Amino acid sequence: MWRATIFTLFPSMFPGPLGVSLAGDALVRNIFEINTYDIRAQGLGRHRAVDDTPAGGGPGMVIRADVLAAALDAGLAAADRRPRLMLSPRGPALTQARARALAAGEGVVLICGRFEGVDERVIEARNLEEISIGDYVLSGGEIAAMVVLDACVRLLPGVMGKEASGFEESFESGLLEYPQFTRPREWEGREIPPVLLSGDHARIKAWREAEALRVTRERRPDLIADVGKPR
């Protein structure tokens, strides 16, 4: 079974969206499991404090190295080989290729920061790898962790109803996905492209490839140079 362990100050946020649709069904069928560990369980004093003011001054608070390290040590076995990913806008962006690699492994450990971040020393001491889901800042790592998990879980064997469907999606070939259509044949004066109704599979395949290239050139020209490379 593929296992996800999440270190968070808000364990009640999980499974959240991962408890419905494909992921929720996979959770019920034990294709994967989610375990949460409340970082505050290792908090200090009567109020279970987990943070302190930034060294050198500045706004906000920082999660303490000793608290987070104690949580990781208590919640993970020494022999646990799963990647330890800390959600952070400083990290390299999650890609489809990385999601595939994570899905092919035993699972993942996700650390959700809050406030101004975590003490840099625990990142180094516990070999945490920072990873981002985009160039913006969220209130905490929980939503980002759900994004990482959803990207991985849908790739696990038995999760998607039609296994082949995943191979034509955006980024799998380095291009964005071609436009999709369904019934009715005509809607508000707009018709389904005739080639898609032709029954000629070779022509349909060629049309889809051309459209994927067109859409990518228009919307993400930065991807064109990387076509054919894993993402």
Side-chain angles (χ1 to χ4, degrees):
M1 182 189 299
W2 198 84
R3 298 182 302 117
T5 301
I6 302 149
F7 289 82
T8 172
L9 292 172
F10 300 98
S12 63
M13 291 181 70
F14 295 90
L18 299 169
V20 299
S21 191
L22 291 177
D25 180 63
L27 198 58
V28 170
R29 290 190 287 133
N30 295 319
I31 292 177
F32 79 106
E33 67 176 19
I34 294 177
N35 297 302
T36 57
Y37 189 97
D38 189 349
I39 297 170
R40 202 173 293 279
Q42 300 296 328
L44 306 175
R46 183 162 58 93
H47 298 292
R48 295 290 186 185
V50 299
D51 56 356
D52 211 326
T53 55
M61 304 291 281
V62 177
I63 294 179
R64 294 173 57 118
D66 51 356
V67 171
L68 182 53
L72 292 169
D73 295 346
L76 297 173
D80 196 321
R81 298 176 299 177
R82 291 174 296 164
R84 299 183 177 190
L85 306 182
M86 191 183 79
L87 288 309
S88 165
R90 301 193 317 181
L94 174 70
T95 64
Q96 189 66 17
R98 186 65 196 281
R100 282 196 304 271
L102 291 171
E106 299 176 7
V108 67
V109 175
L110 297 170
I111 298 95
C112 303
R114 280 271 158 176
F115 317 123
E116 295 302 312
V118 309
D119 190 307
E120 188 74 16
R121 293 171 293 181
V122 72
I123 299 175
E124 299 169 357
R126 294 300 183 270
N127 297 314
L128 307 185
E129 176 190 349
E130 294 178 82
I131 191 168
S132 170
I133 63 164
D135 296 338
Y136 43 85
V137 179
L138 301 174
S139 299
E142 286 78 13
I143 293 175
M146 293 176 191
V147 170
V148 173
L149 289 177
D150 187 74
C152 294
V153 166
R154 63 193 303 278
L155 298 175
L156 298 177
V159 174
M160 285 196 285
K162 188 177 180 182
E163 298 292 342
S165 66
F167 294 102
E168 296 184 358
E169 295 176 330
S170 294
F171 307 113
E172 285 292 351
S173 65
L175 299 176
L176 300 181
E177 190 174 7
Y178 49 79
Q180 297 280 9
F181 300 87
T182 188
R183 285 186 285 266
R185 180 168 183 162
E186 184 273 336
W187 177 76
E188 292 190 354
R190 295 170 172 84
E191 293 190 354
I192 295 174
V195 64
L196 298 180
L197 305 174
S198 68
D200 187 330
H201 297 296
R203 287 181 59 210
I204 292 172
K205 182 175 184 292
W207 181 89
R208 285 174 169 170
E209 290 174 349
E211 283 295 292
L213 189 59
R214 177 188 64 79
V215 171
T216 304
R217 281 198 179 114
E218 291 177 357
R219 303 181 187 184
R220 289 291 303 276
D222 56 298
L223 296 177
I224 297 296
D226 294 329
V227 170
K229 299 177 182 178
R231 294 187 59 82

